[in-house]
Structures are given as C-alpha cells and as structure tokens.
Amino acid sequence: MTTPFICVKDVTKKYANHLALDNVSILVPKQSIYGLLGPNGAGKTSLIRILNQITAPDSGSVLFDGESLSQKHISHIGYLPEERGLYKKMKVGEQAVYLAQLKGVNKHEAQKKLKQWFKKFEILGWWNRKVEELSKGMQQKIQFIVTIVHNPDLLIFDEPFSGFDPINVNLLKEEILSLRDKGATVIFSTHNMASVEEICDHIALINNGKKVLEGSVMAIKQQFRTHKYEVFIHRNETADLTTEGYEILEREQVVDGSERWVLRSAIQDNNELLHLLLKAGHLISFREILPSMNEIFIQQVSKSKHA
Amino acid sequence: MNKIGIIIQREYLTRVRKPSFIIMTFLGPILMAGLMLMPALLAIFSSSSKKSIAVLDETHWFKDKFESDEDYTFVYFENESVDNLKARVQQGIFDGLLYIPMTELSVPSRAEMISKKQLPMSLKRHIQTAMKKEIESEKLHASGIDPDIINSIRSDVSISIVRLDEDGGERETYAEVNYAISFILAIIIYFAIFTFASSVMRGVIEEKTNRIVEVIISSVKPFQLMMGKIIGLGLVGITQFVLWIILTFVIYIGFSSLMLPSVDPQTLLASESSLISEQLSTLPEMTDGYLSKVFEIIHSINFTNIIVCFFIYFIGGYMLYASVFAAIGSAVDNETDSQQFILPFTLPMIAALVVSNLIIDNPDGTVAFWFSIIPFTSPITMLMRLPFDVPFWELVLSVSLLVATFIFMTWISAKVYRTGVLMYGKKITYKELFKWLRY
C-alpha cells in the first residue's frame, strides 16, 4: 500500500443515545479512489462529517497528509454531501462563485475557473439563470463543479450519482477518474456496488458504527473467493468426472459439443486445478468466479446483523 | 476577504436587490405619510356629507340651542306631528329626528334620536352636552344665579407644560406630540425587530430545507454562517431605515418649502425631520399661526436623540431576537413548526406593547422603569419613554443589559444552531434543545 493520505485512527463518536462510530480506523492511500460502504445509518455520514470538520470526534484522531486535521485543511477538501442543494432564487454563476469564495478562492480566480468548468460541462449558458429554473440533474452538475473548483487534494463524494441519468453518470465517473489521475484522493460513499467495482481502488465496509472490512478491491475479492470457476471445455469422453479435486455444480451443453461447467474446487492452487481439468478434456476457457462486491456487502452486513 | 464577510455580503446583496426591498424603501415613507394623513382626509370627507337633523321640541326649552356647525344642520319644527317628521326621515329628507317629548316633570330629561342609518356617537355627545348645559343653566337661573356669572365662571383652560432643562433653560413640551411619537416609535421598532428577526429564521430554514447548509458548513463554521446571516440582514434593516429617514427628510423639506416660502431652507436643514412632521403640517385649514406652531413643535423634538437611540435599540433588540430566531429556525424543518418555540420569546414584546398606555401615562413610573430595563422588552419600552426624556444612567443600564443579553443568547443559539442545522426530519422538543446545549 502506498503512503496513506488520510489516516483515521480509533475514532469514536457518540450521539445522545447511540454510538455512531465505534473505534473506527481507516487508511486512505494517496491518489486512490476509496469507497466507503455500509448500509443506511452505519456511520458513513458521521465519519464524513468528521473528515469535513463539521463535527469533532469524541476520541481518536485524523491525520491529513501526515498532519493533524485542522481548519487550514478545509480549503484542501471538496465535499459533495448526499443531502445537497443550492439557493433557489440565486443565479447559478453568482452562487457558484460564492461557494468557491467560501472555500478560499478569490472572486476573480473563481469566476475564471468556474467558466472553464462550465464550458467543459457545456452549461455556460446557465450562468445567469436562476437555480430554480434548472432540473435536478442540472443542479447536480453545478454542485459537482462547485465541489471541485478549488482543486482540492481530497474529494469526498456522498452518493454522487443519485439523481443523474446514465450519460451524466458516465461523465462524472470519467471526471472523478481523471481527478485522481491528476493527483487527488477521492473518498466515495455509496450504496451502488456496481459503481464501486468500476471505480474504487480501495474500500472500507462500515456497519453499526464499526469497520467490518478494509482493503483493496482485488484483495477483498480474493479474501472472499468461493473457489468457483467457470470452464468451457471439449470433454474427453473417457474422462472420469468424479475426481476428488473439484465438484461440478452446473453443467450444460453449448454448441459444437463443448460444455460449460461451473465448478467448485477443493484445491487452493489454480495451477493444480488446471492440471486436473486438462485431463478431463480440451480446455477452451477457464475463469475464476470472484464474488461481486454486492454479494460481499450483503453477506457481511447480514452476518454482523446475526452476530 | 474573510469568510464571514463573504456571507454578510451575500445576505445583504441578495436582499437589497430584491424588488420588494426597493418598493418598500419608496413606499414606506409614502405609506407612513398616508397613514398620518388619513385622519385629516377622513375629516374632510365626513364634513362634505353634512347631516341635517330635524328637531321637534315639545318642551320648547331648546329652541335654537343646538347650533348648526360644519357637520350638522339643525332644523326646528313646531306643531308638527312626530309621525309626519318620521316619515320625512324615512324618505331621506332628514338624516335624523331629535324628538324631545313633553314630560310631567318641570325639567325635561329625555330625548329620542330617530334615524334610518346609524348616526355617529359624536352627534349624541353633541346633543347631550348642549341639553345638559341648557338644563343646568336653567336650574342655576331658577335658584337665582345670574347666567352671566355662570358663563364667567366657566372657562377653557389650556395647559402648556414647560420643563426645565439640565442647564436651567425652559423648554415647552407638547405632550400630545410626544404621545404620538412614542406610539409610532414603539410600533415601528416592534415591527422592525420582528420582520428582520423572522427573515433570519426564514433564511435559516431555507438553507436547511434546500440542503445547502451542509455544503456551506463544510467550508465555514456554523457560527460564522449564523453571524453572517444575522449581521447581513441587520445591515439590510439599517439601510432601509437610513433610506427612509433621508426620503422623509426630503419630503419634509419639499413640503415645507412649498407651504412656508418665507422659511429659510437653511434653518430647516439645520433641524431634523421626522415622520410626524407630515401629519402635523398637512392638517387641513392651515393658518399661518397654526403652521408656525407646527414647525415650533417639530423643532421642539430632539430628533438626533431619538434617531440615535432608535438605531441602538434596533440593533440590540434585533441581535437578541435574531439569534434566538436563528436557533429556532435551525431546530425546525418548516415555519409552521417554529410557532411553538417563537411564542415564549414574542410574549414579552407583546406585553411591552400592551402596557404602552401605562408607560405613556407615567413615563417615569415603576412599570416603565422595569420594562425599559429588561432586555426582552427594553427596545420597545425605552423608545416609548424617550420623547419624555430618560435619565442617562437608565439608558446606559438598559443598553448594557441588552448588549450582555444578546451576547449570551448568541452564544446559546450558536450551540443549538450547529446541531440543529444538520438534523433533518425530526420533531424537536424543548427537552431535546436543552440536550443540544451540552453537545
């Protein structure tokens, strides 16, 4: 793992009668896209608010690029909350400039940069329109721009794709990836597991205020592998399929006499499994079926519920 | 620019640019002048519809004793039947019939007023007074007192109140004018504080319901946002008043140079103007003597004092109520829910208005003193007392208490606010609010 950009250590946050975060520690590597997952009420928003210094933890610490998190880091963070909105009666451009100014960008600079972004997103024509005239999706675009206009080192997106159509979701994804490539670290909170698989490098799963899982997406998938494989094969008529090494769960005929198998292997090593399979026939393709993040998510959350 | 400055700027500019602000700025003084002209206009209006009253006096005591004036004409009848005259009232020839029937007693004591439409109370009083006077002097005459002596005893007294200044000079005061100013000041500051404090609350609720608040407080501290809003809106209020004063002054100068070409505008410029001037100077039937009296009255009022104190109390009262209202706004999800929390804070202000009669009656009394010291009522009550001169130490005490209270309330409100703005969709109770104070 590369050097952590954000280091949350043993953070606990208690509200009047419930524990929102219970000794949570996470490490967000620099220049990664870090998915913060968890069911509703798990404590994601509490953690995000602590990162944004909207609330302070009861105990524990947060390091921002090695330094203790403080007010001076506010201008280095861009935050797109889940519950987001704009002043309805205000003009789009004016409002965007205002929000950028609050992040410490001077007025002139803010105007210049915002116009560039507006041009890139093809919404420059909205500059002088009132927010209430725009659709929800249009407003989301503006909020996204406002979040990133001050070139923050850390971006925090809470359910960024809700309310966007698929075309704009794509646009946003590309933008997020390119921001990471330019050096930003992204924390990404979502329920949408498909988008997690697509863009996250690392994830942490939080449930009931506790961290359940953390690691790179690949490593976690490996960790939860079920040793299932999908194999296309020209079966050798004489081969014995009742081997000790694997169990065929599904078997179906595909065109030209080849078969598709789904099998569970008892062997840890893929090479050994291949050896066994080669004996069974002429191998066309071989793929390990890794669990989806969605499956892991549901499995882990329901496991901790039963515990 | 620091962040609180940016917030103030936004709050101020978005409001000042609103058409409603611009309209109110120009309409305010005109409405105010109109309001004050109303009585005069009504007087003119009502006098144009002169009422004629038929008088049938069977006792013959009151022949020609009711004098016709600009409002009523009295027409006397003898040897007419009541029914006949009633029919004429019915036909609308007369507005009313005053019927004084014959009595067994030596002195009449009863009369009937017959009319189709309701006649004004003033007519009843007018007739009552005239009859009483006549009967009284008749009785006095019967007991042997010369009516001339009676008339010489009866006299109209007008009292002009002269108060001694600190430096021993004498100054004539006009109690009626002071009453009027007192009431107007109390009502203006009451509405001003509520209007602007409520718009702070609405602003907070707006930010909360459209969910922009979380974006903003990731950039600034909740306290900065709250104070920025309070100060920004307060400045809007001050701007409005300054514009009103300037406009009224311009209207006054224009008006007085029209009415009093002989008065040197320079001397008028030297004295401050006020809204009351319009009322006084636009009364109908102005004679030169009357007009100069009006200007004398206007000049007798210490406007600098009143305006300075008005601003001090507006700022103090506004800051106090605005911070409370901001906290309430942060705790609720919509304006309807805010009512239960607002009420305990509005009650003192309403109480101050309710006791206003007491205070004007005795501006240096105990009630007046305490109401003008307690911070939740002092902006209203102290301003009411102001035209009657208030000891300096009381002013200082009242203002310092007000300032101390608003600082304290702002501190409390900030605590409620920073928890409240992030709470959505939850009905808040007082118990909960107290809990937030400890977060």
Side-chain angles (χ1 to χ4, degrees), chain A residues 104-121:
Chain A
V105 185
N106 76 51
K107 199 171 180 173
H108 182 74
E109 180 87 4
Q111 263 165 347
K112 207 179 80 188
K113 278 191 172 166
L114 281 165
K115 291 222 162 138
Q116 283 169 3
W117 278 108
F118 272 52
K119 207 173 270 172
K120 188 168 182 185
F121 278 62

Side-chain angles (χ1 to χ4, degrees), chain A residues 116-145:
Chain A
Q116 283 169 3
W117 278 108
F118 272 52
K119 207 173 270 172
K120 188 168 182 185
F121 278 62
E122 294 171 344
I123 55 172
L124 199 57
W126 302 351
W127 187 269
N128 275 321
R129 284 170 68 180
K130 279 190 181 168
V131 171
E132 59 188 350
E133 298 169 28
L134 307 183
S135 74
K136 200 178 170 210
M138 291 166 159
Q139 295 186 26
Q140 301 261 36
K141 267 190 182 176
I142 293 157
Q143 279 155 347
F144 181 78
I145 294 174

Side-chain angles (χ1 to χ4, degrees), chain B residues 349-369:
Chain B
M349 276 238 171
I350 294 166
L353 280 184
V354 169
V355 299
S356 57
N357 266 325
L358 267 173
I359 284 151
I360 287 188
D361 218 32
N362 187 2
D364 291 319
T366 322
V367 177
F369 175 78

Side-chain angles (χ1 to χ4, degrees), chain B residues 198-210:
Chain B
S198 318
S199 65
V200 169
M201 188 179 77
R202 272 199 303 278
V204 172
I205 294 175
E206 184 206 351
E207 279 168 0
K208 214 183 145 175
T209 47
N210 70 19

